[in-house]
Amino acid sequence: MTSWQKELPHQIPFRAVSSIGSPEEDSVTAGSLISANDAGRDFSPDFWLVEAMAQAAGRMAFGADALPGQLVAIDRYSVEQPPVIGDCVALRVKALTSLGNLHRFEATAMIDDVQIASATLTLSPPGGSP
C-alpha cells in the first residue's frame, strides 16, 4: 500500500480512489478502477462515483497529514452514464471556495474523455462543525 492510499479516509472495501495525482493549486486528478470485486457488494455506480469524488476532494482539502474530512453536502449531482465493471474513471476535482470550515468543490468523472458524471461537493475538516 502506498502512502497516499493510507491517507484516504476509507480502505478496501470502501476505498473508491485507485490512483491520485499531486494536488495543484486549486485542483487534483484521480482515478477509480471499477473492479469485479465491486460487483459482489451490491455495487451502486452512483454511490461509487460520488464517494470517489469526495475522497479525492478530501485528499486535496485536508492534505496528507490530516484526519479524514466529512462530506456534508452533495449538490447538482448528475450521472449521464453509469460506469460498469472494468471501466477506468478519470476524476477531476476543482476547489471553488471556502467559508469558515466548509470547502466547496466541483467534481467531474470521465471515461475515455467523455463526461459521465458531475457534482458539487461540500466538505468540512475532521472534527469541524459546519
Side-chain angles (χ1 to χ4, degrees):
M1 184 180 306
T2 61
S3 63
W4 69 265
Q5 290 171 319
K6 293 176 189 171
E7 296 158 3
L8 289 173
H10 300 299
Q11 296 303 317
I12 293 173
F14 302 107
R15 185 176 61 221
V17 173
S18 305
S19 63
I20 196 158
S22 296
E24 298 173 12
E25 183 176 329
D26 68 345
S27 66
V28 68
T29 57
S32 181
L33 173 63
I34 312 301
S35 75
N37 291 334
D38 301 321
R41 295 194 309 259
D42 295 325
F43 177 69
S44 167
D46 292 348
F47 168 78
W48 193 260
L49 287 173
V50 79
E51 181 62 32
M53 292 173 179
Q55 288 179 18
R59 172 66 171 88
M60 182 183 160
F62 309 121
D65 298 327
L67 294 171
Q70 302 167 355
L71 176 62
V72 296
I74 304 167
D75 297 308
R76 294 183 290 279
Y77 181 53
S78 69
V79 177
E80 290 82 27
Q81 172 191 335
V84 296
I85 303 304
D87 280 341
C88 291
V89 180
L91 305 165
R92 178 165 170 79
V93 177
K94 183 178 185 336
L96 296 177
T97 189
S98 293
L99 179 62
N101 283 335
L102 298 177
H103 306 280
R104 199 160 176 89
F105 300 89
E106 177 181 78
T108 57
M110 301 177 74
I111 297 174
D112 296 328
D113 295 325
V114 175
Q115 182 171 312
I116 63 161
S118 62
T120 302
L121 309 173
T122 304
L123 281 75
S124 70
S129 57

